[in-house]
Amino acid sequence: MVVRRRPQRGHRYTESPVLQLALQGWRSRMVGLLLMGAFLLLLSRAFYLQVINNDFLQEKGDSRYLRDIEISASRGKVTDRNGEMLAVSTPMKSIWAIPADARTMNVEQKRQLAEMVDLKPRELDGRLASEKSFVFIKRQVPPQVADRIAGLKLPGVHQEKEYRRYYPAGDMTAHLVGFTGVDDKGLEGVELAFQRELLGRPGARTVIRDRRGNIVEDVGATRPPQDGRDIVLAIDSKIQYLAYSNLKNAVIENKAKAGGAIVVDTRTGEILALANWPTYNPNNRDKLSGEQLRNRAVTDTFEPGSTLKPFTVALGLERGKVRYDSVIDCAPGRITIGKATINDSHPHGALTVAQVIQKSSNVGTTKIALMLPPREMWEMFDALGFGRPPQLGFPGEVGGRLRPWKSWKPIEQATMSYGHGISVSLIQLARAYTALARSGDVIPVSLLRADQPVAHGTQVYSPQTAREMRSMLELVVQAGGTAPKAAVPGYRIGGKTGTAHKLEGGAYANKYVASFVGVAPMSDPRLVVAVMIDEPGAGRYYGGDIAGPVFSQVMAGALRTLGVPPDALPMHVAALPEQEGKL
Amino acid sequence: MFRLNLVLLLIVVMCALGTVTAQHRARKLFQALEGEQERVRQLDVEYGQLQIEMSTWATHPRIEKIARERLRMALPAAARQAEAGGR
């Protein structure tokens, strides 16, 4: 190993031979090469990691400071035609915890948290005892409270943004607007029908965060959030309130089981009001029953009874089978077809066609119906939209029952002419009346605000027939008609009562559906109002007595709200000339 | 030659410092922007809450109740109505 050099003369301590050592040349070169090799190895490894296979480390690096942030989008609003809020979302927080971490809280912290989220300390402990790695402590916490909780800096307690839906109009529009579940999913009504439009799409952005969690820079493309579209309904909330409150009073006063009311604009087919009773408060849905949830006006069918008479009679007029003043013998108040007998509730003698409508004679209508071929009657009902869902896009809408004409027996044709053996929903009935309110054409009804009047619908009757039928309907609310209580002071109105026996288990029971459908003002029809009250239980059950007054109040209020000038006040206006200046 | 290199080095250093300050200022401004955007979001939320509050105060049942009970308003009878507009 070492080479001993020849000692210089003498031997001194500092000249120890050990210190006189010298390395052989190849050895230092060897070390140099080894070091070079190691450096090369390191370099190539660095090159490999930095250039060739850099994904893994890049990702690790990014995860230290790059963050993907979701930008939440809010659900669209639902408003009435004038922009009044019917459903609005507002941000809330949900408080959640990782139980294993959260159990390290001390007693005082737990007490504070429990107090803020309105839980008993024992309940909170119960939730935190879970073995899962994620539990909700409380959802839908107001942001202010959530901020205070965040301020406590509790271990293992986290927050997530979410939305809560408010329904300022509450039970008034509950059936129409519907409601959403906790995770912003529409469950009923418009919320369900327009889920796709209402739902917002959250955006995303990638950012660099610094040590303190501040966002320092945007990296790459950001995807902006798309808020849900606002839905503007055709509803006018003033008219809706009128319909709702009057319907509610009538149902309670008559001890009825349920009721529905609809107001339709005859120019545009817009549904200005759609009210149901019983209803519920969509803001607090703890105790909900199926009865309350049902949107009867759209999803329930009933046998409409006499409210269908005008259609059959109009078809008779249209086909020239009868005239306005043709006399029909309705004595002695019953008629036998096959084995069945049809009765009038009050026997009448000879009646003109107009009086058949005015007095609502089953016998008279039957006689007119039997002059008509079944096929033409079926075609008329079909054109009016019976037997088919009205295509509102509403969940659960039904088409009712209209059997094919080929299987009709004469007795069935007769009963159908006055609204039995056929079932319709209230919305279909209201829609069919637009044919009489307009010039014989029926228009589609719309839940959404329409900006333009419908130019023309499906022609069912000639304008002349519609006009004649309107003048007959006007007789119904005058003295001698079935519904003087439906009259609206100041306006000329027309309508038809319906008092139908209810089918129960295949037989007609002593339970009734009282209804009234009417049109106003007669000089230039603007509105159709349909009212239906199910099983009035306070003694009276005639449509004119029960549904008539509701119609009158709703119609009066709606006409006033829309600013439709009265068309039956010529004397009053003439009598007040000197007061006009003061008004 | 050496002097030129020195000048170039100086320029490089100044540019580097300039980049650093520019980056710093950009981040400051960006943070300010973030803050303002957060404020926008919060104001939006507040606006929504105020809208809800407004429509809660303006519900029709409440208006009718106040009109009838506190202000003692009533519908005029048909005989007392007249059409305005001189038609």
Side-chain angles (χ1 to χ4, degrees), chain A residues 128-208:
Chain A
L128 294 182
S130 165
E131 283 306 308
K132 286 185 238 157
S133 59
F134 177 99
V135 286
F136 275 119
I137 294 179
K138 176 121 186 189
R139 301 196 72 170
Q140 313 253 323
V141 178
Q144 295 86 348
V145 177
D147 287 347
R148 292 218 321 268
I149 294 174
L152 293 177
K153 295 215 164 47
L154 301 172
V157 177
H158 303 269
Q159 307 194 348
E160 185 88 45
K161 194 174 177 183
E162 61 179 14
Y163 285 93
R164 169 162 186 184
R165 203 93 168 131
Y166 276 101
Y167 301 96
D171 47 7
M172 201 172 88
T173 55
H175 292 102
L176 190 76
V177 176
F179 53 83
T180 58
V182 199
D183 41 8
D184 237 5
K185 195 158 176 272
L187 298 181
E188 283 282 341
V190 167
E191 295 273 30
L192 173 59
F194 295 96
Q195 165 74 6
R196 270 231 311 253
E197 286 88 341
L198 283 166
L199 194 68
R201 238 175 258 110
R205 57 192 284 215
T206 310
V207 297
I208 294 179

Side-chain angles (χ1 to χ4, degrees), chain A residues 30-48:
Chain A
M30 178 75 177
V31 169
L33 271 176
L34 279 175
L35 282 176
M36 280 277 277
F39 267 117
L40 269 178
L41 210 67
L42 279 179
L43 266 177
S44 57
R45 175 68 180 163
F47 183 78
Y48 173 75

Side-chain angles (χ1 to χ4, degrees), chain B residues 13 44 53 75:
Chain B
V13 167
D44 255 353
E53 192 180 329
L75 266 185

Side-chain angles (χ1 to χ4, degrees), chain A residues 420-474:
Chain A
H420 282 86
I422 176 172
S423 70
V424 304
S425 66
L426 193 61
I427 191 107
Q428 284 178 312
L429 198 57
R431 180 182 166 217
Y433 265 77
T434 60
L436 301 178
R438 292 166 64 91
S439 36
D441 55 327
V442 62
I443 52 171
V445 286
S446 157
L447 274 179
L448 302 179
R449 187 174 71 186
D451 295 320
Q452 284 161 343
V454 177
H456 211 77
T458 317
Q459 201 73 39
V460 184
Y461 306 113
S462 68
Q464 172 64 21
T465 307
R467 212 163 25 243
E468 281 180 17
M469 184 45 69
R470 282 207 295 274
S471 62
M472 292 186 207
L473 292 178
E474 208 172 342

